[in-house]
Amino acid sequence: MKTCLVVDDSKVIRKVARHILETLNFRVEEAGDGQEALNRCTVAAPDVVLLDWNMPVMSGMEFLRALGNSAVSPRPKVVFCTTENGIGHIRAAIDAGADEYVMKPFDRETLQSKLSLVGVA
């Protein structure tokens, strides 16, 4: 069973994402910010990280950079999941190491499509 780490400071978003991911047969873990996510990845790397952009403690972009500089192996696929929809934001996320990008709010079909694109669904 594939694992997904849902990283978002919103408990509601984490709950919605968990429900969708579990219907797609993922084992789901949660983190409320980038630092917590990095700590979890260091202990056991998930197959994919569903990552929010704006969070306290460590933002999604800061997490991506830290993950890239870490010894986490194998490196999980990262799908940015955010309300930031400008082409500049999307380019910055991809340049920082994100594998794919999904807009909030998202539904099961959209998320499944993005997970397929990165090779984990």
Side-chain angles (χ1 to χ4, degrees):
M1 180 177 278
K2 301 274 186 186
T3 58
C4 181
L5 177 60
V6 179
V7 187
D8 200 300
D9 57 326
S10 167
K11 191 179 279 190
V12 172
I13 296 294
R14 291 195 313 264
K15 183 177 180 178
V16 168
R18 171 183 285 277
H19 173 73
I20 292 170
L21 289 159
E22 286 176 345
T23 69
L24 296 172
N25 296 317
F26 278 86
R27 192 177 81 241
V28 180
E29 295 183 14
E30 299 179 19
D33 62 63
Q35 185 61 59
E36 184 182 349
L38 189 61
N39 294 345
R40 287 180 175 270
C41 287
T42 302
V43 171
D47 295 295
V48 63
V49 176
L50 189 61
L51 181 67
D52 185 27
W53 188 292
N54 296 307
M55 295 177 289
V57 183
M58 179 186 281
S59 72
M61 289 296 284
E62 292 167 330
F63 167 83
L64 265 180
R65 290 186 191 104
L67 181 66
N69 292 326
S70 75
V72 171
S73 181
R75 184 191 176 280
K77 298 293 184 179
V78 177
V79 177
F80 242 119
C81 177
T82 183
T83 58
E84 303 289 348
N85 64 353
I87 190 69
H89 282 98
I90 295 168
R91 174 58 38 211
I94 300 300
D95 289 348
D99 297 288
E100 206 29 91
Y101 199 93
V102 66
M103 294 299 303
K104 290 179 188 174
F106 53 86
D107 58 20
R108 184 181 191 277
E109 292 72 29
T110 303
L111 189 53
Q112 184 174 21
S113 169
K114 296 296 183 171
L115 293 170
S116 291
L117 284 173
V118 301
V120 295

